Amino acid sequence: MKNKLIMRLPIILIGLSLFLLTGCILFNIDPGSKYYLEKYRNSSSKEVTIVMKNSTTSKIIRNFSIGQGKEEEGLYSEGSYFNGGDEPIIEYVSNLSYSNINRIEVYVADVLVKEWVTPSGNFGSEINSPFNYDSWEVETMKQSEKYIEGKVVFTITDEDIE
């Protein structure tokens, strides 16, 4: 009996090592992460400047200008992306809070024309605000990068700057 076990030991060890090497992949139930870009789109008739702030400290976290008919990255600049999971809009708006952004201001020609403040939530399509989940859209993209599913887009309109 001992000899039979010793003779089969290499086969058992090879089988176990193959199981260990491929077992993590075979039994992986975690689907891959879903990454998204975030964009602020300007559909208004004027160039706007967005200032993302912490209202408590008045610290500017990020600011950027968007030309008429253009779009720019907000919190995640220079083409970086975030893990949006199954609810990318909620994840992105939550990331604003995690980054201490609780006020977003819109300027036209250095004049403050709009201010959005927290709280975040679903406030319906009548209220256009980066803190309103209902104001964002998810757009799928042809996969230019293998991990990016799409982008979340907030659109600034003429009504926002009047």
Side-chain angles (χ1 to χ4, degrees):
M1 168 115 167
K2 189 175 182 181
N3 286 339
K4 287 184 181 181
L5 182 61
I6 292 174
M7 288 177 43
R8 293 183 181 160
L9 188 60
I11 296 171
I12 293 170
L13 290 175
I14 290 171
L16 284 174
S17 64
L18 287 174
F19 177 74
L20 289 175
L21 290 175
T22 61
C24 295
I25 297 169
L26 290 175
F27 296 107
N28 187 359
I29 57 172
D30 182 23
S33 297
K34 296 179 182 178
Y35 294 104
Y36 292 84
L37 300 170
E38 47 87 27
K39 299 286 184 174
Y40 287 76
R41 183 176 292 151
N42 181 7
S43 71
S44 74
S45 58
K46 298 179 181 170
E47 181 174 332
V48 298
T49 299
I50 305 293
V51 177
M52 299 176 148
K53 286 179 142 181
N54 179 318
S55 64
T56 312
T57 63
S58 296
K59 180 180 178 184
I60 295 175
I61 309 295
R62 173 132 162 78
N63 67 331
F64 54 95
S65 294
I66 311 173
Q68 178 185 2
K70 305 281 185 193
E71 60 183 36
E72 292 289 330
E73 291 94 359
L75 179 60
Y76 300 97
S77 60
E78 300 175 20
S80 60
Y81 45 86
F82 68 99
N83 185 348
D86 292 327
E87 301 208 34
I89 292 170
I90 293 172
E91 285 298 321
Y92 176 73
V93 175
S94 295
N95 289 347
L96 290 174
S97 295
Y98 297 140
S99 299
N100 293 319
I101 296 171
N102 54 14
R103 171 179 278 143
I104 298 177
E105 300 170 343
V106 180
Y107 291 83
V108 174
D110 295 329
V111 175
L112 177 64
V113 294
K114 187 70 172 186
E115 178 181 77
W116 294 297
V117 294
T118 55
S120 304
N122 292 91
F123 305 119
S125 59
E126 304 82 37
I127 298 173
N128 195 34
S129 165
F131 300 109
N132 179 6
Y133 305 143
D134 300 319
S135 296
W136 290 84
E137 296 177 46
V138 175
E139 296 179 0
T140 56
M141 296 172 36
K142 289 184 180 178
Q143 290 195 321
S144 57
E145 295 183 38
K146 59 184 173 181
Y147 300 115
I148 298 179
E149 297 283 322
K151 57 185 174 179
V152 294
V153 179
F154 176 76
T155 303
I156 298 164
T157 64
D158 278 322
E159 291 81 27
D160 295 321
I161 63 171
E162 293 175 349

